[in-house]
């Protein structure tokens, strides 16, 4: 009985909803975010902490994007780089973390050694190893670009320059999801990004009607 109840329990507990799980109470937000991303190409999704950005992305947005899009593995930029990557010429820890996340979409036998990955820019990696058109890059918990290595401004700026070069290609879409209390600290780095992330969508906490749907 306990096992059966666990399998059927729709409450996932203190974690995000994942691809394949049902997400309730966010139909309007999903529709609006999807339309904005498709139309504007580069979008910043922000909310108060705990509003459910990751759940909306994983259980809502990713399964509902047009089938013509190549949705890449969700990216985090906080990876602690391995020792063999740190001293490669041109190494950037945020670019490396991005590429390591994208490598999760490759077959294990096709993944690059860390030293080779550390030498690549994001644009070079995409050109060589990813589908050529209509790809969607999704950066979750993007405030980690600010909270990781707080004083490392030079590497952060270099990452945004690399990212901006990659996003000049209009066959590439990007969604950045972050806590809204960090948006102000992001502004000094945005100049290289096409549109400087002007297209933004705010996800609020569940209202009473949406919460009833979830219940």
């Amino acid at each position: 009985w306990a096992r059966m109840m666990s399998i059927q329990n729709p409450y996932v507990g203190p974690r995000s909803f994942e691809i394949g799980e049902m997400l309730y109470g966010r139909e309007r937000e999903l529709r609006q975010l999807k339309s904005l991303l498709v139309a504007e190409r580069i979008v910043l999704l922000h909310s108060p902490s705990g509003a459910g950005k990751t759940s909306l992305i994983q259980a809502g947005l990713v399964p509902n994007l047009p089938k013509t899009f190549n949705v890449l593995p969700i990216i985090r930029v906080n990876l602690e780089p391995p020792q063999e990557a740190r001293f490669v010429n041109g190494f950037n820890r945020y670019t490396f973390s991005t590429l390591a996340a994208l490598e999760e979409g490759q077959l294990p036998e096709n993944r690059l050694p860390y030293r080779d990955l550390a030498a690549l820019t994001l644009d070079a990696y995409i050109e060589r190893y990813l589908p050529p058109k209509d790809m969607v890059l999704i950066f979750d918990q993007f405030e980690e670009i600010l909270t990781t290595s707080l004083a490392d401004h030079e590497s952060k700026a270099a990452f945004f320059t690399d990212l901006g070069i990659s996003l000049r290609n209009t066959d590439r879409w990007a969604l950045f999801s972050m806590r809204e209390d960090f948006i102000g600290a992001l502004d000094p780095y945005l100049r290289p990004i096409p549109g400087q992330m002007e297209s933004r969508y705010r996800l609020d906490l569940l209202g009473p009607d949406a919460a009833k749907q979830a219940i």
Side-chain angles (χ1 to χ4, degrees), residues 132-201:
K133 294 193 67 176
D134 297 339
M135 68 180 63
V136 183
L137 298 160
I138 299 176
F139 292 83
D140 194 20
Q141 300 188 41
F142 195 59
E143 67 272 7
E144 291 168 340
I145 191 70
L146 303 169
T147 59
T148 302
S149 296
L150 293 175
D152 194 9
H153 303 296
E154 184 176 344
S155 293
K156 297 179 198 293
F159 169 75
F160 276 93
T161 298
D162 185 18
L163 181 61
I165 291 170
S166 300
L167 293 178
R168 290 176 193 167
N169 187 322
T170 56
D171 285 327
R172 300 169 187 172
W173 275 252
L175 176 68
F176 301 88
S177 174
M178 67 183 297
R179 284 171 45 185
E180 62 187 14
D181 46 319
F182 285 94
I183 289 178
L186 193 66
D187 286 345
Y189 299 105
L190 293 182
R191 183 177 294 274
I193 307 298
Q196 298 184 37
M197 297 188 191
E198 289 181 349
S199 296
R200 300 181 179 186
Y201 185 84

Side-chain angles (χ1 to χ4, degrees), residues 5-25:
M5 287 299 293
S6 175
I7 292 172
Q8 295 178 350
N9 189 350
Y11 298 99
V12 302
R15 68 161 175 83
S16 302
F17 284 84
E18 299 174 353
I19 295 173
E21 294 179 334
M22 294 298 296
L23 182 68
Y24 295 95

Side-chain angles (χ1 to χ4, degrees), residues 89-103:
N89 186 39
F91 169 76
N92 182 288
R93 67 172 299 165
Y94 310 106
T95 299
F96 179 84
S97 186
T98 299
L99 301 187
L102 296 177
E103 283 280 275

